[in-house]
Amino acid sequence: MPDRALLFADMELCSPYAMSAFVALVEKKLPFDLRTIDLDAGAHREDAYRARALTARVPCLVHDGFWLTESSAIAEYLDESFPPPHHVALYPKAARDRATARQIQAWLRSDLMPIREERSTHTIFFKPTDKPLSEKAMESARRLFHVADSLLASGAKNLFGEWSIADTDLAIMLQRLVANADSLPENLAAYARHQWRRPSVQQWATHARPVRL
Ligand SMILES: N[C@@H](CCC(=O)N[C@@H](CS)C(=O)NCC(=O)O)C(=O)O
């Protein structure tokens, strides 16, 4: 009998990357335990974690003795280990759509820094801010809108017909603006709201979090 899978996340459940890995696991319907670690206290740099979690970051999946960090690598591993049709697909079927989904994931993880800084995920899960966006962040927002709008057909609920993990990643970025009442095109706000209602996403969004003093 294989061990139950484990997912390491940050204590406050604010990491967008841990959220993406969590949603991927829930979507695959794999039983797993969520284990949180205190990044502020440096728990991820302790030997016990660092020795096995190669990059010493969260999220980290532990599956049958295999330790894996990097949220997009986790999603790809899960999709290949638990393929459709018995399990929901995390990535689109068509090669070009799949490549585009990975393109979006990589871009969301490496760009749009001003939005990530001025609209941290704390503002989604704990308390919104009333600080206006800087000109730099508004420029990032315009690029985000351009990319999202170019991929979403009018009124589309998902990027590639069926839901994929790239929808959750894109929705997290858009939700940074939605949660803070920043202005965004109505079609993108509607898309983000729809993605946010997904049960696996809600499971993370409504999960108990430590109270901040
Ligand atoms: N590209 C990584 C990013 C992971 C990441 O930045 N995790 C942060 C929490 S949001 C972390 O572990 N920070 C602690 C550190 O890097 O020391 C992924 O997609 O998993």
Side-chain angles (χ1 to χ4, degrees):
M1 172 96 172
D3 288 342
R4 200 173 153 86
L6 263 184
L7 182 70
F8 285 94
D10 59 309
M11 209 164 72
E12 296 184 322
L13 301 186
C14 277
S15 165
Y17 317 109
M19 174 173 173
S20 183
F22 177 94
V23 167
L25 270 162
V26 172
E27 291 288 341
K28 286 290 180 189
K29 294 196 164 47
L30 294 181
F32 70 100
D33 293 321
L34 182 65
R35 200 160 290 176
T36 61
I37 59 176
D38 188 348
L39 298 180
D40 290 340
H44 56 305
R45 288 191 289 270
E46 282 172 17
D47 286 350
Y49 188 72
R50 213 175 42 171
R52 292 162 132 187
L54 194 58
T55 58
R57 290 176 135 189
V58 294
C60 181
L61 170 73
V62 185
H63 176 245
D64 254 346
F66 175 54
W67 289 59
L68 183 66
T69 55
E70 287 296 319
S71 54
S72 56
I74 292 171
E76 294 196 27
Y77 171 76
L78 291 173
D79 225 23
E80 286 168 20
S81 306
F82 304 95
H86 299 300
H87 298 268
V88 73
L90 298 176
Y91 287 92
K93 208 188 276 171
R96 289 184 178 186
D97 285 348
R98 214 160 51 234
T100 307
R102 289 173 175 143
Q103 172 182 234
I104 292 301
Q105 287 192 297
W107 181 69
L108 290 169
R109 282 160 177 70
S110 60
D111 203 338
L112 307 176
M113 209 55 202
I115 301 181
R116 289 194 267 159
E117 280 172 2
E118 293 179 32
R119 297 296 183 257
S120 79
T121 47
H122 278 90
T123 69
I124 302 180
F125 299 115
F126 284 95
K127 191 172 182 287
T129 177
D130 50 15
K131 272 201 191 143
L133 289 171
S134 67
E135 185 43 50
K136 252 183 162 175
M138 285 201 282
E139 165 53 24
S140 287
R142 283 192 285 276
R143 289 193 297 119
L144 170 64
F145 300 157
H146 168 73
V147 168
D149 213 33
S150 307
L151 289 175
L152 284 164
S154 122
K157 294 205 166 356
N158 300 311
L159 287 166
F160 307 105
E162 297 287 310
W163 172 86
S164 78
I165 193 68
D167 284 300
T168 297
D169 289 341
L170 179 57
I172 296 170
M173 190 58 80
L174 291 168
Q175 191 66 18
R176 293 174 190 263
L177 302 173
V178 172
N180 289 291
D182 293 307
S183 80
L184 65 170
E186 183 41 42
N187 64 320
L188 299 183
Y191 164 82
R193 282 195 300 269
H194 170 75
Q195 292 298 334
W196 214 252
R197 285 194 292 269
R198 197 170 176 87
S200 53
V201 170
Q202 277 301 300
Q203 208 172 309
W204 175 272
T206 61
H207 202 287
R209 288 181 164 74
V211 178
R212 293 190 120 201
L213 296 176

